[in-house]
């Protein structure tokens, strides 16, 4: 990953895109998806597929693979220690490589749709359904209680249907903390 792909850069890029749409009297509909225990559930093969997608060198992928292969972990509470367990699809807790793995996996967690001023139709529910299909395929679970929807701009005054995940309604919010920055609902008239 290059330095230009930092979380700050990602945040600035998405906010610039949203503000440009709002300045054109459009709207933005976003769903912020939270994956339940992402590091406990992610399969190593999924992580390696994504590393390849980002053109991470084979050498670094092999280094990462050697770090994750045949890893064991145990827990300690006060003086009690559990037996060692093999990690089959998880990241070791406290690993220095967790931030890299997090950045590789996080690109699927914010769905946004720019809606033109004269349109009321949105496709975010279709995009969310596609994400749910991907999540099931890759063994990921979505935490519905932490997944939120936000509508910015003129569409915020309409009664668009709320997204549902596994028969649970996603909460629509007027503020959300995205990559460390608070995004607030702005009403553009």
């Amino acid at each position: 990953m290059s330095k230009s792909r930092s979380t700050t850069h990602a945040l600035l890029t998405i906010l610039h895109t949203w503000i440009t749409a709002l300045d054109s009297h459009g709207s933005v509909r976003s769903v912020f998806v939270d994956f339940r225990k992402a590091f406990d559930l992610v399969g190593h093969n999924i992580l390696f597929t994504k590393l390849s997608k980002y053109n991470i060198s084979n050498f670094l992928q092999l280094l990462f693979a050697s770090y994750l292969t045949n890893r064991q972990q145990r827990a300690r509470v006060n003086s009690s220690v559990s037996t060692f367990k093999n990690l089959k699809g998880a990241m070791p807790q406290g690993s220095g490589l967790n931030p890299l793995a997090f950045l590789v996996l996080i690109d699927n967690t914010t769905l946004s749709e720019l809606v033109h001023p004269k349109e009321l139709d949105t496709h975010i529910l279709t995009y969310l359904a596609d994400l749910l299909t991907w999540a099931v395929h890759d063994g990921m679970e979505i935490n519905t209680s932490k997944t939120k929807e936000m509508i910015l701009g003129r569409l915020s005054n309409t009664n668009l249907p709320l997204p549902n995940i596994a028969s649970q309604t996603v909460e629509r919010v007027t503020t959300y903390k995205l990559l460390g920055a608070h995004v607030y609902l702005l009403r553009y008239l």
Side-chain angles (χ1 to χ4, degrees):
M1 297 187 135
S2 68
K3 290 182 182 181
S4 66
R5 296 284 305 197
S6 69
T7 55
T8 303
H9 183 263
L11 180 63
L12 289 173
T13 299
I14 197 165
L15 290 177
H16 175 74
T17 303
W18 291 355
I19 290 169
T20 300
L22 294 171
D23 284 345
S24 301
H25 304 289
S27 296
V28 177
R29 189 173 186 188
S30 294
V31 177
F32 308 102
V33 180
D34 183 83
F35 288 101
R36 184 183 322 270
K37 299 181 179 181
F39 285 126
D40 295 338
L41 297 174
V42 67
H44 295 158
N45 58 331
I46 296 166
L47 183 60
F48 295 126
T49 299
K50 287 190 166 249
L51 288 171
S52 292
K53 174 183 162 188
Y54 290 116
N55 296 320
I56 302 298
S57 73
N58 287 339
F59 173 77
L60 289 177
Q61 288 183 50
L62 290 171
L63 183 65
F64 213 165
S66 71
Y67 174 73
L68 292 174
T69 303
N70 298 320
R71 294 290 296 199
Q72 294 185 327
Q73 187 168 305
R74 67 180 177 176
R76 178 187 308 233
V77 177
N78 297 325
S79 61
S80 299
V81 180
S82 69
T83 59
F84 279 102
K85 298 284 184 184
N86 290 327
L87 296 178
K88 295 182 181 173
M91 294 293 296
Q93 297 295 317
S95 165
L97 294 175
N98 281 358
L100 170 63
F102 178 75
L103 288 173
V104 168
L105 295 170
I106 198 171
D107 72 336
N108 292 309
T109 60
T110 301
L111 298 174
S112 287
E113 177 181 18
L114 306 179
V115 183
H116 296 286
K118 297 183 182 191
E119 293 181 25
L120 288 178
D121 292 332
T122 72
H123 305 285
I124 202 81
L125 300 179
T126 302
Y127 304 150
L128 184 58
D130 291 345
L131 181 72
L132 291 171
T133 300
W134 167 86
V136 168
H137 178 266
D138 284 359
M140 302 294 286
E141 295 176 21
I142 293 177
N143 185 346
T144 307
S145 67
K146 290 185 178 180
T147 296
K148 307 295 180 196
E149 179 198 38
M150 178 182 273
I151 300 175
L152 303 171
R154 295 174 186 256
L155 279 181
S156 63
N157 296 322
T158 62
N159 291 323
L160 293 171
L162 291 167
N164 283 291
I165 299 173
S167 301
Q168 292 184 346
T169 302
V170 173
E171 179 185 7
R172 187 170 289 154
V173 296
T174 58
T175 184
Y176 186 80
K177 189 174 181 180
L178 176 65
L179 297 175
H182 290 275
V183 179
Y184 296 91
L185 171 65
L186 300 173
R187 298 203 187 270
Y188 278 66
L189 301 175

